[in-house]
Amino acid sequence: MKSVALEASVRDSVRKKSALNSMRKEGSVPGILYGGENNINIAVNEIAFGKLINTPEVHIIELNIEGKKVKAVIRDLQFHPVTDKPIHIDFYEVFEDKPMTMGIPVKVTGNSIGIKNGGKRSDKLRKLVLKALPNDMPDVVEVDITKLKIGQSVKVQDISIEGVELLDTPNAVIVAVKTSRVAVTTDDEEEEGEEGAEATTEAAAE
C-alpha cells in the first residue's frame, strides 16, 4: 500500500475547549496517536491534511512527529457540523509485523456480457474490510465483471487476494448485473436454451 508523509507536532494534553478552538483558528487540527506504548497528543496542518481526506484513495500515513517517523492509519475523524472542516483525528499506529484492518475501495473493471445486452450494473459494496500486514494491503480491490451475464453477481467469497483476509460476510454481493426493460438474451444464452430443449426432446423420445 502507498504511504504519504504528513508533518505533525506534539501538543499539550490540555483538552480545554478554548485551547482547542484557538489551535483550529490557527490552521491546525488536533489529534491523538494510539496503538504504541503511549498515546501521543498531536496536531497536523489543516490544509495538508485536507489534501489527504479529499481523495478516494486510501493510504498509510507516515507521520513525522518532530523528527520521529511513525506509520499510522486514520481510525476516526470528526467534522464540524456547519463548516464540515475536520476538527479532530484519531490515528492508529501500524507495525510491519502486525496485521492491520482497513476498509479498501472496490474498483470494478470490465464490460460485462450482461451490460452489453441491456443489463444494469448494481454496485452493492464500495469498500471491503480487509485484514493484512501493511506491505500486503492493496490500494484497491479490483473486481472483474467481464463474464457476468444478466442475473449474475460477484460475491465476497469469489475474491481471493494472497496474504489478505476478507472480513465481510462471504455471501455478500459486491456487484451484480440486473435485468432491465431493454435487456436482451445473449447468443450464448440462446444456444444453451436450445441445447437444453434438444436434450429434453431426445430424453422424451428414448
Side-chain angles (χ1 to χ4, degrees):
M1 169 172 281
K2 297 176 182 177
S3 63
V4 294
L6 182 65
E7 296 289 328
S9 59
V10 178
R11 63 180 177 84
D12 294 334
S13 58
V14 178
R15 298 186 178 183
K16 289 183 179 180
K17 188 174 181 180
S18 57
L20 294 176
N21 286 336
S22 295
M23 182 183 297
R24 295 178 183 115
K25 288 179 180 179
E26 293 172 358
S28 295
V29 184
I32 302 177
L33 174 65
Y34 297 97
E37 293 183 0
N38 298 297
N39 298 337
I40 304 175
N41 295 282
I42 60 175
V44 299
N45 180 270
E46 180 185 333
I47 296 176
F49 182 71
K51 293 178 180 178
L52 285 179
I53 60 175
N54 291 324
T55 172
E57 297 180 354
V58 178
H59 301 93
I60 291 177
I61 300 171
E62 190 173 88
L63 292 170
N64 186 348
I65 307 173
E66 300 180 356
K68 179 183 178 181
K69 293 185 178 180
V70 177
K71 290 185 177 180
V73 293
I74 298 173
R75 181 55 58 87
D76 189 37
L77 181 57
Q78 298 174 25
F79 293 92
H80 191 281
V82 178
T83 64
D84 206 31
K85 290 184 178 182
I87 58 175
H88 192 274
I89 319 154
D90 284 347
F91 292 99
Y92 193 83
E93 187 173 355
V94 298
F95 301 89
E96 299 294 337
D97 59 344
K98 292 183 180 181
M100 55 185 283
T101 301
M102 290 188 73
I104 302 299
V106 171
K107 180 181 180 182
V108 178
T109 63
N111 188 9
S112 80
I113 297 171
I115 292 175
K116 289 179 180 178
N117 289 277
K120 183 179 179 181
R121 191 178 106 187
S122 176
D123 295 334
K124 299 295 185 179
L125 294 176
R126 299 186 182 277
K127 281 189 176 183
L128 294 178
V129 181
L130 309 183
K131 182 179 182 180
L133 294 173
N135 289 336
D136 293 333
M137 188 69 73
D139 295 312
V140 297
V141 178
E142 291 194 358
V143 178
D144 186 3
I145 63 170
T146 303
K147 296 181 179 181
L148 288 191
K149 297 178 181 179
I150 294 174
Q152 295 182 331
S153 64
V154 177
K155 298 180 179 180
V156 173
Q157 63 193 14
D158 300 322
I159 304 298
S160 177
I161 307 172
E162 186 176 355
V164 176
E165 181 182 356
L166 285 81
L167 301 182
D168 293 281
T169 304
N171 63 354
V173 174
I174 301 173
V175 59
V177 177
K178 295 185 175 182
T179 188
S180 67
R181 293 181 180 179
V182 296
V184 296
T185 306
T186 66
D187 291 337
D188 289 341
E189 290 170 334
E190 287 178 349
E191 290 174 2
E192 289 174 2
E194 291 171 359
E195 289 174 359
E198 290 175 358
T200 302
T201 302
E202 291 175 359
E206 292 176 356

